[in-house]
Amino acid sequence: MRKPQDQTRSSGAAIPESGYIVSRRAVLSGLGAMTLLGASGCSQTLELPALGPIEPSGGMPPVGVDHMPTGSIGPIPSISVDRNITDNGTMYAALTDNGFVIPAIPFQKVRPEFRRQIVVDPTGEAPGTIVVRLNERHLYWVQEGGEAIRYGVGIGKAGFEWNGRAEIQYTKEWPTWTPPKEMIARKPELVKWTAGQPGSLDNPLGARAHYIYKDGHDTGYRVHGSPEWWTIGTQASSGCVRMINQDVIDLYNRVKASPTKVPIVVA
């Protein structure tokens, strides 16, 4: 084929005689070949010159280019940007909160699916709902626009799980933890906290707690932070839903901003 510099110049100069003359029929034949090639593999977008009206010759119908896609691809959901959902190093950095210095989380040791992120909402629940999927070890904060913020969680050991529909009655920062009598019976060393363990970095409820009530009664279960970040994604609690402290603070800020009591679904 001729070189690009041998084609028609914008100045109107003649094309050198050494160049090949490409007929309209040859161009059309080439287009037909390209169409066949496109049908045999992945569809591609071709930038083609405008050919203008084509008069059939020799009884042959004009050849066109089929612009229909070879497959049907549905719309790709868009994910919004939230200033609190950034890179892992920022989300899980050390932070000072109410006088406590929460250590950084070595997020590389936390499986990627258990790190905070925005996803397409799989729950079908109304915005402003907390959904805990026990089998997944995920907690979803449902948002407007078909999205959800997903957090990794730790759940109750076998025989200690709770599930159902309820609501978050209230929340607390650096809550006091009072072990139930049944737990003290299993672990007598906890008797020292019969009157409650004040909020601290080693408090089992972590930096925040969300108290789950059903029909106006305390279920005894909480969605709370935990200093034991390595238990996220496992069955390690006595029935409560555990979160990384940095994550539970993020969730707390969203729940606190809700104008109504927050429904929660655990299943």
Side-chain angles (χ1 to χ4, degrees):
M1 296 180 66
R2 68 184 181 213
K3 299 178 182 179
Q5 64 265 30
D6 291 335
Q7 297 177 7
T8 303
R9 297 180 174 84
S10 59
S11 62
I15 301 175
E17 293 182 359
S18 59
Y20 294 101
I21 300 175
V22 181
S23 69
R24 185 181 296 268
R25 185 179 300 278
V27 171
L28 295 176
S29 298
L31 292 178
M34 284 189 288
T35 303
L36 292 175
L37 288 173
S40 65
C42 297
S43 61
Q44 303 179 23
T45 301
L46 301 175
E47 294 295 334
L48 301 173
L51 297 177
I54 301 173
E55 296 294 336
S57 62
M60 295 182 63
V63 179
V65 177
D66 184 3
H67 294 288
M68 293 298 291
T70 58
S72 177
I73 301 176
I76 300 175
S78 61
I79 298 299
S80 64
V81 176
D82 186 306
R83 64 184 180 85
N84 293 311
I85 313 294
T86 57
D87 66 277
N88 293 308
T90 299
M91 290 190 296
Y92 297 115
L95 61 91
T96 300
D97 182 83
N98 288 347
F100 295 102
V101 179
I102 301 174
I105 302 299
F107 63 85
Q108 300 91 339
K109 297 182 180 181
V110 178
R111 288 166 54 181
E113 63 266 33
F114 296 136
R115 302 173 196 166
R116 189 191 326 163
Q117 56 193 281
I118 300 178
V119 299
V120 176
D121 173 43
T123 71
E125 297 290 338
T129 302
I130 292 174
V131 179
V132 178
R133 288 189 167 180
L134 298 173
N135 289 338
E136 294 180 12
R137 314 292 200 266
H138 285 147
L139 180 150
Y140 297 88
W141 170 253
V142 182
Q143 301 194 110
E144 299 282 353
E147 298 176 355
I149 298 175
R150 191 181 76 188
Y151 310 84
V153 297
I155 64 172
K157 300 174 184 177
F160 288 89
E161 308 99 324
W162 177 87
N163 60 76
R165 286 182 174 267
E167 63 182 15
I168 302 300
Q169 185 80 11
Y170 61 93
T171 61
K172 285 187 177 180
E173 301 182 28
W174 297 99
T176 297
W177 176 64
T178 304
K181 294 178 180 180
E182 297 80 6
M183 184 177 290
I184 294 176
R186 296 194 306 271
K187 299 180 178 180
E189 67 273 17
L190 297 178
V191 69
K192 63 181 178 180
W193 301 124
T194 300
Q197 179 183 0
S200 64
L201 289 174
D202 59 356
N203 185 303
L205 293 183
R208 302 287 189 274
H210 304 77
Y211 294 76
I212 302 175
Y213 276 63
K214 184 174 178 63
D215 300 325
H217 300 286
D218 187 356
T219 64
Y221 295 99
R222 320 283 184 242
V223 175
H224 62 81
S226 173
E228 299 178 344
W229 56 265
W230 55 90
T231 64
I232 300 304
T234 70
Q235 288 184 269
S237 76
S238 295
C240 291
V241 178
R242 293 182 176 184
M243 302 180 71
I244 294 173
N245 273 327
Q246 283 86 338
D247 282 347
V248 81
I249 290 174
D250 182 82
L251 177 64
Y252 169 87
N253 291 336
R254 299 174 192 279
V255 171
K256 186 178 179 181
S258 177
T260 61
K261 290 181 179 178
V262 170
I264 180 169
V265 181
V266 181

